[in-house]
Every structure is written in structure tokens, then in C-alpha cells.
Amino acid sequence: MTTESTMGDGAPGRTPGRPRSERAEQAIIEATIDLLAEESGVAGVTIEAVAARAGVGKTTIYRRWPNKEALIVGALATLKGPLPEPPGRSVREDLLVLGEALAAERHAKHGRCFFNVLGGAEKHPELYARYRQDVIEPRREVMRRVLRRGVERGELRPDLDVEVVMTLLVGPFAMRGPREALAPGFVESAVDTLLRGIARSGG
Amino acid sequence: MTTESTMGDGAPGRTPGRPRSERAEQAIIEATIDLLAEESGVAGVTIEAVAARAGVGKTTIYRRWPNKEALIVGALATLKGPLPEPPGRSVREDLLVLGEALAAERHAKHGRCFFNVLGGAEKHPELYARYRQDVIEPRREVMRRVLRRGVERGELRPDLDVEVVMTLLVGPFAMRGPREALAPGFVESAVDTLLRGIARSGG
């Protein structure tokens, strides 16, 4: 994507202003992530604090995000983007692609943001619900499609509990502290263990 | 266990004092958990704040825990106690026992404590390392024994990567927000999916 193409939908006369508003948006997102990663978590993210840290006015923030919850969910969405759409040639290849994508997301500062939101789920139920809906659900949908396609093609067991399998697939990456490195070959080992099972008979 | 037996090792003359010190210890642990579950997490737990909340003097705390880190790890250990030692008749039964124990631990306030410690892992590396060593490792050792016994008895695949299997076993319980209830039959479904695998051929 060229620089031009990212500004292609702006009116000709407004082109100079567009990059500045993009820079402001970027600064606001970064300030939100920085504050969210700090120990006070969700409580430390206020429109005032974000504006001060990003060097913008509060109205610049409100022009784009109606409230603090929308801003936080928007920032989390930039950290946990959509999962890659796997090639679809085989379930094993697709699961390896998804596993590698999940493993690549293990960034310490980002981990703190998500733990802080999970830890505050009781206190901020609307924020948490919106995070699940806007950020997590689209990712789960990619996994669901891979698993359903595997069942349709006869690669996976026909009676698969897709929701349970998704927790087994994501769990190994989600459960660890951000400081713990994954062993080499971890993703392949996890995917193959899930595919063939741990029982000796194999079912 | 009778009340007598819990005080059995006290000298006769000190019996009246023992319950009071136990009550103080309980109040200190509860105050630590309450503070740790709040939004400021680890940062909000200070010896001063715990003493005030528990209604004890700071020296009462220091008599039992040398510093804040030891106090927090001690409090976490009361929330995540040892896993039950499974009966050992079959791997499937043992994994169901462990799975049910993990599912039963999903308490919202406790979840916040652990998310707050995980979120602060970078900032408090010693606390996190001690938590891993004192609280998590003994639990992992119970799971490891179950899996190794299954391999020795020929119930599980001989080439099992035990560390990977443990992440698959624990993941489904660790990855969710504390507000999300588990579906009925979730534990059995997760254990059976792990045992037999998701691939149609079964390996």
C-alpha cells in the first residue's frame, strides 16, 4: 500500500490535514495503550490523561471516540487485530498458521493491557462485553471457520465440539505470563497433540 | 480434623493466644486478597494498607511475612491451593478430577488477583517468579505425575510432550474472563477431546 493510497479518499483540498489527524489518532491510541499497561489499568485511562499524554485536546479524542470504553476497545483492537485468514488447503496447515499468529502476539506490554482488562471485567462489565464482541469474536469466527471446514471435508471428527476445541487451541498461548518464552517447536507440538490426541489408542 | 488437633502443637499455657494469632493471620490474608483484587493490583498492596484493613499492627504482619512479596504469594497460595491428588485408577478419571478442580477455582475476585499479578509480571519479576515457584509449580507437578503414570502404564502415547499437554489441559480454564460460565459438560468434553484428538483418523 502506498502513502497515496491511504489518503486516496480525502478531498483534494484537505490532503494536508489528513496526515495530521492520522498522527493525532496514532498518538491517542499509543497513549491509551501506555496508560492501560500501567498498574492502575482501566482506572488510569481517563480522557484527560490520554489527551495530556498524546498532546491533543480532549475534543480531538471525542471527535473519534464517544467515551472512554470505546477508546480502550479501539486501542485493544489495534493490538489484537484480525487473525490471518488461513490458506484452507488442510486443517493442520491452517491450525499451524493460527497457532503461529497467536504465538507472535505475546508482547509484554500488550499482555499487561489484556490482563488489566480481564482483571477489571467485573468492575467494567460493559467495556469487557464490548471487547469480547468487537475484538475477540471476529478472531474466534476465523477459528470456527477453519474447524467447521475441517469437519465438512472429513479431516476432523464429525462430532467435534467446536467451542471446546477453540479453548484448547487458544489456551496454550493465553495462559502464560508474558515473560515466558515458548519453547522451539511449541506451536507444532501443540497443534499435533490436539489433532491426534494424547491417548495411546487414538480413540 | 477437630479444633483440638489444629492447636495440638501449642504449649498448654499458650492455648488461648493461638486462636487470636490465627484470626489475625486470617484477617491479614483476607485484607491482602481484597487489596490485590482492586484495580491498583500489586501497587495497592502495601504493608501499611494491609495492616489498616486487617486491624493489626505492622509488626504482626512482619512477624509472619518478611516483606510484601512473601505476603502476596502467601495470600495467592491460599486461593490456589494444591490440586487434589487424583485416585490413579485411570488417566481419564484423573484428568476429570483435575479438570473439575480447575473449573471450581473460577471465582471472580480470585481471578482479578491472578490477572493483576500476571499483568504486573514485568514490573514485579521477583514476585512473579516466586508465585510461579511456590504456587504454580506444585500444581503442575501433580499434573505431570498423572501424565507420566499414563505413559508408563501404556494409556497415553509414549512420545507425549508432557509440558505441552499441561498447557492444553489448563488452557481452557485459564483463558476466559471470570464472568464467563462454563457450559455443562465442558470439563468432560475438554478432557475427552484432548484424549482422543480432533483428527478424524485419530492419528
Side-chain angles (χ1 to χ4, degrees), chain A residues 112 119 128 159 180 195 197 199, chain B residues 112 119 128 157 180 195-196 199:
Chain A
R112 285 201 301 281
Y128 183 69
D159 60 344
E180 291 167 83
L195 277 170
Chain B
R112 285 201 301 280
Y128 182 69
R157 293 179 181 274
E180 291 166 84
L195 278 169
R196 63 185 206 165

Side-chain angles (χ1 to χ4, degrees), chain B residues 106-190:
Chain B
R106 296 162 45 77
H107 179 291
K109 196 211 288 184
H110 303 173
R112 285 201 301 280
C113 289
F114 292 104
F115 284 126
N116 282 341
V117 169
L118 286 168
E122 284 280 308
K123 205 161 181 176
H124 309 280
E126 280 178 49
L127 167 65
Y128 182 69
R130 193 162 170 175
Y131 159 70
R132 292 282 310 178
Q133 184 190 307
D134 293 2
V135 182
I136 298 303
E137 255 317 303
R139 297 161 57 89
R140 291 170 57 88
E141 193 48 39
V142 174
M143 293 185 233
R144 226 175 252 128
R145 274 201 301 275
V146 165
L147 295 170
R148 286 197 186 129
R149 190 163 55 211
V151 171
E152 281 160 23
R153 289 184 185 171
E155 289 180 85
L156 298 181
R157 293 179 181 274
D159 60 345
L160 215 61
D161 185 332
V162 169
E163 300 303 306
V164 166
V165 176
M166 287 199 293
T167 69
L168 286 162
L169 180 63
V170 175
F173 308 101
M175 64 166 290
R176 307 183 152 213
R179 287 173 64 89
E180 291 166 84
L182 296 177
F186 180 88
V187 172
E188 193 165 11
S189 180

Side-chain angles (χ1 to χ4, degrees), chain B residues 24-97:
Chain B
E25 184 166 325
Q26 185 59 31
I28 293 164
I29 290 285
E30 276 171 20
T32 306
I33 290 166
D34 285 348
L35 288 166
L36 195 55
E38 286 178 5
E39 258 188 304
S40 46
V42 175
V45 184
T46 62
I47 297 293
E48 285 74 14
V50 171
R53 197 175 187 118
V56 302
K58 289 203 283 178
T59 50
T60 306
I61 300 178
Y62 282 122
R63 210 174 289 143
R64 175 77 181 76
W65 295 276
N67 52 48
K68 162 180 161 167
E69 284 70 30
L71 174 59
I72 291 176
V73 172
L76 292 174
T78 69
L79 298 186
K80 250 196 210 323
L83 285 172
E85 189 62 49
R89 285 183 293 260
S90 80
V91 148
R92 182 173 183 273
E93 183 187 11
D94 287 358
L95 293 179
L96 287 173
V97 167

